[in-house]
Amino acid sequence: MRKDVQVSVLGILDAGGGPEAVLTRTTGICSPQGGGYQVSYRELDEHGNVTDNLLFLSQTEIRLDRSGAISGSFRFIPGERTEALYRTPFGDIGFLAETESCTVEADGSGLEARLEYRLYEGGRLFSQNTLSVHIREDDGDGPAPDHTTRRNHI
């Protein structure tokens, strides 16, 4: 069954210049699919650029497909390196994504997922990353998310 949800995604990445946090709070749609959950949501960056996201969460893998201002396809499987493509206005970048861990927990009020991974480009470490995803049913009673993405150096 499809549900309207509130989506919070916190990414922490370190590309060698110290950690940077990227927080997205928005609304989306969540539905069960193939032994996991599919979550679709739209994010708006500080420049007004829109990116559509399709996130698949399961106990064995996490997939993220993005289109719009930022595009790419990522597949994260614990203990494996998978190919990833990131499309930017400046050209495509190929990465290897090495997944250290991924966990997904569902309870009566929503989903929690955590992912730790490294990205390699050209055989060299590009960044170390942590992604935390919180999905809650949107009951309309809480504060509305602002549908934006914010970046901060930690």
Side-chain angles (χ1 to χ4, degrees):
M1 172 182 359
R2 292 171 45 115
K3 292 184 179 181
D4 292 334
V5 292
Q6 291 189 10
V7 179
S8 176
V9 180
L10 174 62
I12 299 176
L13 63 106
D14 189 343
E20 178 182 357
V22 180
L23 175 63
T24 299
R25 290 187 186 170
T26 189
T27 56
I29 303 289
C30 180
S31 58
Q33 180 187 352
Y37 300 89
Q38 181 173 287
V39 181
S40 60
Y41 63 95
R42 177 173 281 178
E43 64 184 83
L44 180 68
D45 73 13
E46 62 271 15
H47 305 292
N49 300 311
V50 174
T51 300
D52 291 316
N53 296 276
L54 185 60
L55 185 61
F56 176 76
L57 305 168
S58 78
Q59 293 296 332
T60 58
E61 70 176 308
I62 293 178
R63 291 190 312 261
L64 175 62
D65 292 311
R66 308 179 86 194
S67 61
I70 299 172
S71 298
S73 295
F74 298 86
R75 185 174 184 201
F76 302 99
I77 302 170
E80 293 189 22
R81 283 189 178 188
T82 56
E83 292 184 9
L85 181 63
Y86 199 65
R87 293 181 181 97
T88 73
F90 310 104
D92 294 352
I93 303 170
F95 288 108
L96 281 179
E98 179 182 52
T99 306
E100 186 175 319
S101 66
C102 84
T103 58
V104 177
E105 296 179 15
D107 60 28
S109 62
L111 298 169
E112 304 282 335
R114 182 171 171 87
L115 172 65
E116 294 182 11
Y117 65 99
R118 294 177 195 84
L119 290 179
Y120 294 87
E121 192 236 345
R124 294 190 318 227
L125 179 64
F126 181 81
S127 64
Q128 296 186 86
N129 309 275
T130 302
L131 190 70
S132 299
V133 179
H134 303 278
I135 309 294
R136 293 286 173 254
E137 191 168 347
D138 188 1
D139 57 14
D141 290 341
D146 57 12
H147 304 281
T148 58
T149 298
R150 304 215 190 303
R151 297 180 184 276
N152 296 303
H153 288 281
I154 302 175

